[in-house]
Amino acid sequence: MKRAIISVAMLAAGLTTAGAADIRPVRKAPPPPAPIVYSWSGIYIGGHIGHGWARWSSRTEPGPQPTFGLPGRNFDSDPRGWVGGAQLGFNWQLAPNWVVGVEADVSWADANVSDNAPITTTAGVVLAGSNQFTTRDLKWLSTVRGRIGYAWDRVLLYVTGGVAWGKATYSANYATVAVAYPIAPFSQTKTGYVLGGGLEYAVTSNLTIRGEYLHYRFDGADATCLCNPPFFVAYHWDNTTLNVVRLGINYKLDWAGPVIARY
């Protein structure tokens, strides 16, 4: 009897030990790594190319002439041309999505126009062999602008605005059969403003591409030719405005690195 009891006890102890060996602590799976969110903070340098269009006006205003009166002439033109250049700037990303920055750029421009027409008297008679014209040639543009935008990870939507400079060359001529009153080409650098906005996308951690629109505005120019008193011709070039759509590419130098999101 004792042997039977001892055998049963030993069997129970063995089963208990085996069951305990099969019980292992349950380990929780580690949490997934926090997602890495793109940071727009950093200095960048890049280039751009685009197309510009405008609506430019100019006019001539001849003064009194002893023999006959010659009216002035208004010119309206729609110049178009290419622009291209380089930019340098920096961004600072404010938590969590706002981005502010400053950018400076310079663009070489190919936007010019030459308007000409024969001279018509106040009686409507076209003077044979006569001609009057004005020209305006926009050489380059430069800006210093602030930027503010809202970022969705690698996508940045922004507005921009600031001070702009532009250099243009002007010339004109007012010629009858008997005499010509030309204005030799002269250049002026104007200060104005620029406004616009754009969309930028980070292709890699350092390379971004963008598309943007900019509107430039500068004052016009005036010149007067007093060649044979009391006859004179005044030339007026109205405000120089230009609308530009351009594509750009930037290389960003990280100073903050990627931002790791917190749960």
Side-chain angles (χ1 to χ4, degrees), residues 76-256:
D76 292 309
S77 55
D78 301 292
R80 298 175 182 272
W82 294 95
V83 298
Q87 65 270 359
L88 172 68
F90 72 89
N91 291 318
W92 182 260
Q93 185 160 355
L94 308 176
N97 300 100
W98 291 100
V99 178
V100 296
V102 175
E103 179 174 301
D105 65 24
V106 59
S107 303
W108 288 266
D110 180 25
N112 56 76
V113 65
S114 178
D115 295 307
N116 64 83
I119 299 173
T120 304
T121 68
T122 53
V125 178
V126 176
L127 298 183
S130 67
N131 184 49
Q132 55 184 325
F133 70 80
T134 63
T135 68
R136 174 169 16 191
D137 187 2
L138 188 60
K139 298 295 188 180
W140 55 260
L141 301 162
S142 182
T143 72
V144 174
R145 296 175 283 112
R147 298 205 312 165
I148 181 169
Y150 191 87
W152 294 270
D153 194 13
R154 291 178 175 267
V155 178
L156 176 65
L157 180 66
Y158 63 90
V159 295
T160 183
V163 183
W165 296 268
K167 184 175 182 178
T169 299
Y170 309 86
S171 66
N173 189 38
Y174 194 94
T176 66
V177 177
V179 66
Y181 300 94
I183 290 292
F186 65 96
S187 297
Q188 291 185 353
T189 299
K190 300 290 186 178
T191 301
Y193 67 82
V194 59
L195 298 172
L199 184 68
E200 193 164 358
Y201 177 73
V203 180
T204 68
S205 60
N206 297 98
L207 190 66
T208 70
I209 57 175
R210 69 164 65 158
E212 65 183 353
Y213 162 79
L214 296 174
H215 173 78
Y216 300 81
R217 184 185 185 280
F218 309 100
D219 290 338
D222 298 285
T224 300
C225 178
L226 184 60
C227 301
N228 184 20
F231 185 84
F232 72 90
V233 180
Y235 302 94
H236 302 280
W237 292 266
D238 293 337
N239 296 330
T240 298
T241 60
L242 187 67
N243 302 290
V244 173
V245 174
R246 66 188 195 182
L247 299 175
I249 185 170
N250 291 317
Y251 185 82
K252 181 169 73 73
L253 306 175
D254 291 318
W255 68 36

Side-chain angles (χ1 to χ4, degrees), residues 47-64:
H48 60 266
I49 187 170
H51 186 69
W53 69 96
R55 180 71 171 174
W56 291 347
S57 298
S58 60
R59 63 188 184 274
T60 60
E61 295 182 356

